[in-house]
Amino acid sequence: MSISIPDLATVRAQRPEAIAEAAARRVRRPLIGDSGRLMIVAADHPARGALGVGDQHLAMANRADLLERLCIALSRPGVDGVLATADILEDLLLLGVLDGKVVMGSMNRGGLAGASFEMDDRFTGHRAEDIERLRFDAGKLLLRIDYDDAGSLATLESTARAVDDMAARRLPLFVEPFISRRIDGRVRNDLSGEAVTRSIAIASGLGGTSAYTWLKLPVTDDIDDMAEALEASTLPAVLLGGEVGKDQEGAYEKWRKALRLPTVQGMVVGRSLLYPAEGSVETAVDTAVGLL
């Protein structure tokens, strides 16, 4: 039986086993539904300490507010599922909103935003065995590669093993690769066509098999470079929505063009839908679904 957001702490304190019970009875669905496309809402940012949206540095810190926004997003037609860390997914399980949805567990959140060890992105979230045990449908990991930071090598090796572990269980794994570098002490992702192409080539070759590997990719700075970048791999891909600035319509137009490319199967979008610069969560989600 589902509960309300104010009751979550009480249930967690008195009946922690309720989470496993909710996971066991959740109604599952295929990864790709009748639409042939995939629309996933992402909310795994808080576990990396990335709580900001625009100029609001702690926008995602209020868990009740975040859960309300997620529940709204998941209720909208065309939304296939959610990507999040264990704590958020377990809240959503208890709230009873994950039946018939794709549930993706976020696997590595150790590269905390702004930390000196940000590139050594340890797997501190879901393991493959956790995703299998909880009957979730897929996993996701972040792979940022800085050629000047040795921590990237540890992340690469851990990623390859995660690819193997998920494939052994026949579970899809969404790999989100970037070529990154530090500028004035902060990690910046390179969204040039060449950098995205290189990141795709590296990510596609990790592990002993790519049979269950998907790519979760940013749209290049120049949308015309995106088609060429995607030619670097035959793996299915979803677009990373990223944070939308003031030019919301411009961002939507870039997504619309990129969604027409052959290997692109859908989108995984987070803050720009849950905390839209303009309008409501419902409007932002419906607009993104319309792009598909």
Side-chain angles (χ1 to χ4, degrees):
M1 180 179 296
S2 61
I3 63 173
S4 63
I5 292 175
D7 294 330
L8 285 170
T10 300
V11 173
R12 282 180 170 276
Q14 297 179 359
R15 291 196 64 248
E17 66 274 12
I19 292 170
E21 294 168 2
R25 64 174 176 264
R26 181 178 72 89
V27 178
R28 300 181 68 180
R29 52 153 281 178
L31 181 67
I32 301 296
D34 294 338
S35 70
R37 302 289 246 172
L38 197 59
M39 180 68 196
I40 302 293
V41 178
D44 58 343
H45 313 80
R48 205 169 63 81
L51 300 169
V53 179
D55 57 0
Q56 302 178 54
H57 301 301
L58 296 175
M60 299 188 76
N62 186 313
R63 181 52 55 88
D65 178 63
L66 174 58
L67 291 172
E68 288 176 1
R69 292 170 183 270
L70 281 167
C71 289
I72 292 171
L74 287 166
S75 72
R76 304 305 298 169
V79 174
D80 294 290
V82 61
L83 157 65
T85 46
D87 55 332
I88 293 175
L89 291 181
E90 289 164 358
D91 282 343
L92 295 173
L93 277 172
L94 292 173
L95 293 172
V97 297
L98 295 183
D99 280 348
K101 299 296 183 183
V102 173
V103 181
M104 297 172 58
S106 187
M107 303 178 76
N108 63 326
R109 297 281 86 188
L112 302 183
S116 62
F117 52 84
E118 189 168 350
M119 287 295 105
D120 188 352
D121 206 348
R122 303 290 177 98
F123 282 67
T124 56
H126 285 106
R127 301 165 299 175
E129 54 262 45
D130 299 320
I131 294 172
E132 180 181 49
R133 171 176 52 83
L134 290 164
R135 302 172 63 249
F136 291 164
D137 306 297
K140 172 261 180 181
L141 59 84
L142 177 62
L143 176 63
R144 290 170 298 177
I145 304 164
D146 185 343
Y147 282 76
D148 296 320
D149 193 319
S152 291
L153 180 57
T155 305
L156 274 166
E157 183 177 19
S158 298
T159 296
R161 300 293 74 80
V163 169
D164 292 337
D165 289 345
M166 291 291 283
R169 293 166 171 82
R170 298 185 178 183
L171 287 168
L173 178 59
F174 290 69
V175 179
E176 181 181 345
F178 290 98
I179 301 298
S180 307
R181 60 177 59 88
R182 288 188 185 272
I183 300 175
D184 297 328
R186 296 187 63 184
V187 175
R188 303 292 187 184
N189 298 324
D190 187 343
L191 299 185
S192 67
E194 180 178 345
V196 173
T197 300
R198 196 178 302 276
S199 73
I200 291 173
I202 293 169
S204 298
L206 292 173
T209 178
S210 62
Y212 293 90
T213 303
W214 286 57
L215 298 173
K216 179 173 179 276
L217 301 172
V219 179
T220 54
D221 288 329
D222 185 340
I223 188 61
D224 294 332
D225 292 335
M226 194 67 192
E228 187 173 346
L230 286 168
E231 291 176 353
S233 176
T234 58
L235 298 185
V238 292
L239 300 180
L240 162 67
E243 190 170 357
V244 173
K246 294 181 179 179
D247 186 12
Q248 202 162 2
E249 289 303 317
Y252 287 154
E253 183 58 28
K254 287 179 67 174
W255 296 350
R256 183 179 290 108
K257 290 180 178 179
L259 283 165
R260 298 172 184 162
L261 298 173
T263 62
V264 176
Q265 309 295 311
M267 299 181 68
V268 179
V269 192
R271 286 172 289 189
S272 58
L273 300 187
L274 296 174
Y275 300 86
E278 298 178 2
S280 65
V281 173
E282 293 94 331
T283 300
V285 171
D286 292 349
T287 301
V289 169
L291 299 177
L292 296 174

